[in-house]
Amino acid sequence: MEDHLPPLNALRAFESVARLLSIKAAAEELHVTPAAVSQQIKSLENYLDVQLLERRVRSLALTEAGEQLFPFMEEGFSKLEEGVRQLRRRQQSNELVVSASPTFAAKWLLPRLGSFYKAYPKVRLRVDACESLVNFRSDGVDVALRYGRGGYPNLFCQTLIPEEVIPVCSPALLNGLKPLHKPDDLRHHMLLRSAWQTGQESAPCWGMWLRAAGLTDIDPDAGHHFSSEFLTLQAAIEGQGVALTAKALVTQDIEAGKLVYPFGEDFNQLIAFSYFFVCPESHLRLEKVQAFKQWIEKELQDASKH
């Protein structure tokens, strides 16, 4: 017996006959003749060298081998049919599901979505804000905007924003009781941290930034700790300390005067982490995914001109 699968048509014919226990009914379901179905069953039995059906005078019954094989065929073809249905629904649906971290969604994506709605009014966007990696198939996600080091296996992955991290704080801290004008002044202020900055190896953190600034006597873990970067930035806006964050996330807060770069923009630090556009290669054939990809590329291009 050969190791690879028998012909798909023969398996499909067996699944239909075994489910309906009728050659004629199976032939009608498969839109072929009863003789063709019988031939497919015979070829499968020859291939497997085992009898699958017991042919009686006016009925059919599964043999022990047929009973063993049928549940696998039934489940397999059921999954294939569901997969095709889901694919057709996704191709025909005008809903685009985008997964992004809560902070990136709130600080970068949402403020810009007005132009997307205007450019593509027929696309209904659903933003799934979560920190965890998604399963594109089971979670029904079309595109993920992910922060990390790249290298997502078996997926299309394009760098969107090379990461730059820089300290930010409320303008009120610059000339307070303990002025904040140079990196050494950080020893008098709370260093605000996000959970992801301590939970991922090589993630941009205060320890990394302080070492690059030549400050080895300031404890990078002594400040306040928040479960999300959104809360960390809000704490910085409220004047509770200094946050280390991506420049891409605070552009609007800087322009609005809610946050400032206390040491100027020369103190940014390039790191190995970036923001990526990630999706299965097959999703790139969907018009709505291509539309979103082109839109986000244009937004980044326009932002680089300012």
Side-chain angles (χ1 to χ4, degrees):
M1 185 185 301
E2 299 182 35
D3 291 334
H4 54 75
L5 286 174
L8 184 61
N9 284 341
L11 293 174
R12 187 69 180 95
F14 168 72
E15 188 277 333
S16 183
V17 172
R19 176 165 37 83
L20 300 172
L21 289 178
S22 168
I23 295 289
K24 181 180 179 181
E28 292 175 353
E29 180 177 78
L30 299 174
H31 304 290
V32 297
T33 65
V37 173
S38 295
Q39 183 59 38
Q40 291 289 355
I41 298 297
K42 187 64 177 177
S43 67
L44 179 60
E45 290 178 325
N46 290 337
Y47 187 97
L48 298 174
D49 194 24
V50 66
Q51 185 178 352
L52 299 171
L53 295 174
E54 181 182 344
R55 296 159 180 82
R56 299 173 181 173
V57 177
R58 294 186 178 180
S59 64
L60 287 176
L62 294 174
T63 64
E64 183 178 349
E67 292 279 7
Q68 181 179 351
L69 181 61
F70 173 58
F72 295 98
M73 293 300 97
E74 185 178 41
E75 181 180 4
F77 280 105
S78 176
K79 287 184 176 180
L80 283 173
E81 291 170 355
E82 179 59 26
V84 171
R85 283 194 293 269
Q86 288 189 14
L87 176 61
R88 286 173 175 168
R89 282 198 298 268
R90 173 167 287 178
Q91 288 177 320
Q92 296 169 0
S93 172
N94 63 349
E95 180 180 71
L96 178 69
V97 182
V98 177
S99 173
S101 71
T103 306
F104 188 80
K107 293 291 189 179
W108 194 94
L109 185 61
L110 264 62
R112 294 169 168 81
L113 284 182
S115 65
F116 179 80
Y117 300 147
K118 184 177 181 179
Y120 303 98
K122 293 183 179 180
V123 177
R124 291 190 298 110
L125 192 65
R126 178 159 68 87
V127 178
D128 179 17
C130 66
E131 296 286 1
S132 59
L133 296 178
V134 298
N135 184 312
F136 287 93
R137 183 175 61 183
S138 62
D139 297 338
V141 172
D142 295 303
V143 171
L145 304 178
R146 276 290 166 256
Y147 179 78
R149 307 187 74 171
Y152 301 99
N154 304 316
L155 293 170
F156 172 82
C157 181
Q158 177 180 324
T159 303
L160 292 177
I161 309 173
E163 181 68 291
E164 295 177 90
V165 293
I166 191 167
V168 294
C169 68
S170 166
L173 294 188
L174 296 182
N175 299 302
L177 295 177
K178 296 180 179 179
L180 185 61
H181 298 304
K182 58 186 184 299
D184 189 66
D185 295 334
L186 286 171
R187 67 183 68 255
H188 305 300
H189 295 268
M190 281 290 179
L191 303 184
L192 307 177
R193 297 176 295 135
S194 303
W196 67 268
Q197 292 176 316
T198 58
Q200 299 188 48
E201 183 180 357
S202 301
C205 61
W206 273 114
M208 179 189 297
W209 191 91
L210 292 170
R211 286 192 298 272
L215 299 171
T216 58
D217 59 340
I218 297 179
D219 184 358
D221 301 322
H224 297 315
H225 185 274
F226 298 90
S227 62
S228 75
E229 190 167 15
F230 184 85
L231 293 176
T232 306
L233 293 177
Q234 191 59 38
I237 290 173
E238 299 296 333
Q240 296 174 13
V242 185
L244 185 69
T245 189
K247 289 182 66 176
L249 298 181
V250 294
T251 302
Q252 291 197 327
D253 290 328
I254 293 292
E255 292 175 351
K258 296 179 180 179
L259 292 172
V260 295
Y261 303 125
F263 317 126
E265 294 188 54
D266 292 337
F267 281 86
N268 65 332
Q269 182 179 355
L270 282 170
I271 59 171
F273 280 51
S274 299
Y275 286 95
F276 295 93
F277 182 104
V278 184
C279 71
E281 291 278 355
S282 60
H283 288 194
L284 293 174
R285 294 193 288 269
L286 300 176
E287 290 186 9
K288 59 188 178 183
V289 171
Q290 277 296 326
F292 186 74
K293 182 173 177 291
Q294 292 169 9
W295 169 78
I296 205 169
E297 289 171 345
K298 185 178 184 303
E299 285 294 314
L300 291 169
Q301 185 179 26
D302 292 344
S304 67
K305 296 177 182 179
H306 298 154

